[in-house]
Amino acid sequence: MVKAVPMKAFDEMVEGGLYRGAQELGDPERLRTHYGKFAAWLGRQPEQTIAARREEAELLFRRVGITFAVYGDSDGTERTIPFDLIPRIFPANEWTRLERGLRQRVQALNMFLHDVYHEQHILKEGIVPAEQVLNNSQYRPEMKGIAVPLGIYAHIAGIDIVRATHGPDVGKFFVLEDNLRVPSGVSYMLENRKMMMRLFPELFASHRVAPVAHYPDLLLDTLRQSAPHTERPNVVVLTPGMYNSAYFEHAFLAQQMGVELVEGQDLFVKDDVLYMRTTQGPRRIDVIYRRVDDDFLDPEVFREDSTLGAKGLMRALRAGNVSICNTIGTGVADDKSIYPYVPEMIRFYLDEEPELANVPTFMCRKPDELDYVISNMAELVVKEVHGAGGYGMLVGPASTRAEIDDFRTRVLANPTNYIAQPTLSLSTCPTYVESGVAPRHIDLRPFVLSGRQVRLAPGGLTRVALKEGSLVVNSSQGGGTKDTWVLEEN
């Protein structure tokens, strides 16, 4: 029997607790100001109208092919991500503060990546333990000393943000996770907005919602800025193929940017230059937006059996003839064992205090912190340092005694492979579920682009845990998504 995590505290729409039903829509003392117009609109909508719009959204998403794959799913490999019609809304001043913190964090992470592959000042100063970096499976010694354009390693970063719901930090934003390898989800951000504008155009006439449709243009401009030596760079999106869980996004972004979607078999390296095979003959490639993991990019250097990349790609990169976005080796900066040190990176490289705090984190490699985790596992979230997608983790308060005992055994067998954090009861937002409208936990993944400057589209992907009491928002674990609005006025 799985225990539900108690729901309490900060709700995005209403103050003083959780959304309790339709009566809240007419209570200005309970509604947060920036939700006022939306709540008034929602209160006027007949139930049958909303139900019809929900069915229409599901049909359209399926018809367009907005799906993701779930590996090992006995019900089939493709499904749509549930989409909720109640948006998550930010007032302009709140978003401005969050955006400032995101820019700062990603700038420091890129400086860290350049440093660990060059002078390694932060390791020599002992601020980040050298063994945590140099012995990390995501550290790629093959990248040491290679100059990359603009010194940028993580051109596209997905930073997972949560809001505290109780105690002295109630309402405060925290960074839960940094995603710097092949962050996904931006296509759902864009398609969610298109769907809301199609279903409810009157809402956008009455709200000044900052646009996100220009994200593909920002992305293409960022990729072109990373090109090594040419004013008219050829850009491609490299996908593992149609059976990858995020293939829809790969194809979508290539189409939106007007560039080619390629697989490893389409590429070859000659004289340390990367080319794409075309019916008109070889075409030189200057920039790869890669959605393939490091290990599969170059069988000459990494996995010999890989057919997903191009043999000789590292030679072309080392010669300065191609840029790979995100660059090989970025995973060392988003590994969960490195995450606790990001605030110190900001202080070290930027001489600034972090605008966004980390979630307090226990490193099981430290004996005293391991003892605490083992003794308090039922109260904590315990994660594999290389885990992703909601896998390889234990949410203590929502787990059975047997699950906790099993995970305790795994942690004790390999402590360096785990970190632990307090169970944050993530903020909630009213969400349509089978029983009607009810509060569900959410997080946010803004997408930060780094080129000559750091930019991001206003908003991001709001993910929602649709199961009552669940804190796991990942689509692979049954989560859904919402449109994210940033209002251009407070």
Side-chain angles (χ1 to χ4, degrees), residues 67-365:
T67 61
F68 73 103
V70 180
Y71 302 121
D73 184 359
S74 60
D75 295 329
T77 57
E78 296 289 332
R79 64 172 68 163
T80 58
I81 296 180
F83 169 65
D84 186 59
L85 299 181
I86 299 178
R88 195 251 184 94
I89 303 178
F90 285 93
N93 57 357
E94 189 173 63
W95 175 255
T96 298
R97 292 194 301 272
L98 183 56
E99 182 179 39
R100 187 168 61 240
L102 290 165
R103 292 174 187 269
Q104 178 195 60
R105 190 175 181 98
V106 170
Q107 184 181 356
L109 285 165
N110 268 307
M111 295 174 77
F112 169 75
L113 283 163
H114 181 272
D115 189 18
V116 298
Y117 288 116
H118 291 83
E119 297 84 2
Q120 300 184 343
H121 293 306
I122 201 166
L123 307 185
K124 293 171 184 175
E125 292 286 334
I127 294 166
V128 178
E131 67 274 12
Q132 285 292 98
V133 173
L134 303 180
N135 296 332
N136 193 297
S137 64
Q138 298 302 315
Y139 181 76
R140 304 296 180 182
E142 298 86 355
M143 286 295 299
K144 196 164 187 324
I146 296 179
V148 297
L150 306 175
I152 301 297
Y153 286 72
H155 308 81
I156 306 99
I159 309 297
D160 291 348
I161 302 292
V162 296
R163 195 198 293 268
T165 65
H166 59 278
D169 293 319
V170 64
K172 182 179 177 181
F173 290 112
F174 287 85
V175 176
L176 184 64
E177 194 170 283
D178 304 295
N179 298 281
L180 307 180
R181 302 174 213 183
V182 284
S184 63
V186 75
S187 60
Y188 302 109
M189 174 189 84
L190 297 171
E191 288 296 320
N192 287 352
R193 176 60 53 82
K194 285 168 63 177
M195 183 63 69
M196 286 293 286
M197 294 181 75
R198 174 171 180 157
L199 296 178
F200 308 114
E202 68 276 16
L203 278 174
F204 293 88
S206 61
H207 292 77
R208 292 181 58 194
V209 182
V212 296
H214 62 299
Y215 175 86
D217 295 331
L218 289 179
L219 175 59
L220 181 58
D221 187 53
T222 299
L223 297 173
R224 285 174 170 166
Q225 287 179 20
S226 75
H229 299 302
T230 179
E231 293 181 0
R232 298 177 61 85
N234 287 324
V235 178
V236 297
V237 176
L238 175 62
T239 177
M242 64 182 296
Y243 296 108
N244 182 266
S245 62
Y247 180 74
F248 164 77
E249 178 158 297
H250 308 165
F252 174 86
L253 289 175
Q255 187 271 332
Q256 291 290 304
M257 290 190 290
V259 304
E260 295 289 341
L261 179 69
V262 301
E263 299 182 27
Q265 62 190 355
D266 302 318
L267 304 175
F268 69 94
V269 173
K270 181 178 180 182
D271 298 328
D272 296 342
V273 175
L274 181 68
Y275 294 93
M276 175 179 67
R277 296 180 175 89
T278 78
T279 54
Q280 286 78 40
R283 178 185 177 192
R284 180 168 178 167
I285 300 303
D286 305 294
V287 181
I288 293 178
Y289 175 26
R290 58 96 170 211
R291 302 300 296 262
V292 174
D293 291 339
D294 286 358
D295 286 337
F296 301 94
L297 283 173
D298 185 349
E300 193 173 273
V301 177
F302 303 116
R303 283 188 53 154
E304 295 181 1
D305 60 344
S306 174
T307 60
L308 302 180
K311 184 177 181 180
L313 185 57
M314 277 296 296
R315 284 189 280 110
L317 178 67
R318 194 175 294 113
N321 291 327
V322 69
S323 290
I324 301 174
C325 306
N326 288 339
T327 305
I328 292 170
T330 54
V332 71
D334 75 7
D335 189 84
K336 293 180 180 67
S337 68
I338 300 299
Y339 162 91
Y341 300 101
V342 178
E344 289 304 317
M345 292 179 198
I346 293 170
R347 297 183 182 101
F348 182 75
Y349 295 117
L350 301 177
D351 194 25
E352 298 172 358
E353 282 301 305
E355 299 271 353
L356 293 170
N358 275 15
V359 176
T361 302
F362 303 98
M363 291 178 275
C364 294
R365 68 182 185 84

Side-chain angles (χ1 to χ4, degrees), residues 54 57-58 61-62 66 68 79-85 188 192 431-432 461-464 466 473-483:
R54 292 176 68 197
E58 168 74 17
F61 276 139
R62 190 171 297 281
I66 305 172
F68 73 103
R79 64 172 68 163
T80 58
I81 296 180
F83 169 65
D84 186 59
L85 299 181
Y188 302 109
N192 287 352
T431 300
Y432 279 101
L461 179 66
T462 291
R463 302 182 298 177
V464 55
L466 294 175
V473 300
N474 307 78
S475 56
S476 57
Q477 305 291 305
T481 66
K482 291 173 173 283
D483 193 12

Side-chain angles (χ1 to χ4, degrees), residues 385-433:
V385 294
H386 307 314
Y391 297 102
M393 65 183 288
L394 173 90
V395 181
S399 300
T400 64
R401 184 185 297 274
E403 289 168 338
I404 292 170
D405 290 343
D406 175 67
F407 219 83
R408 184 181 289 116
T409 301
R410 290 157 62 181
V411 172
L412 286 170
N414 187 9
T416 60
N417 198 43
Y418 294 91
I419 63 166
Q421 296 168 329
T423 304
L424 290 181
S425 188
L426 315 182
S427 65
T428 60
C429 188
T431 300
Y432 279 101
V433 294

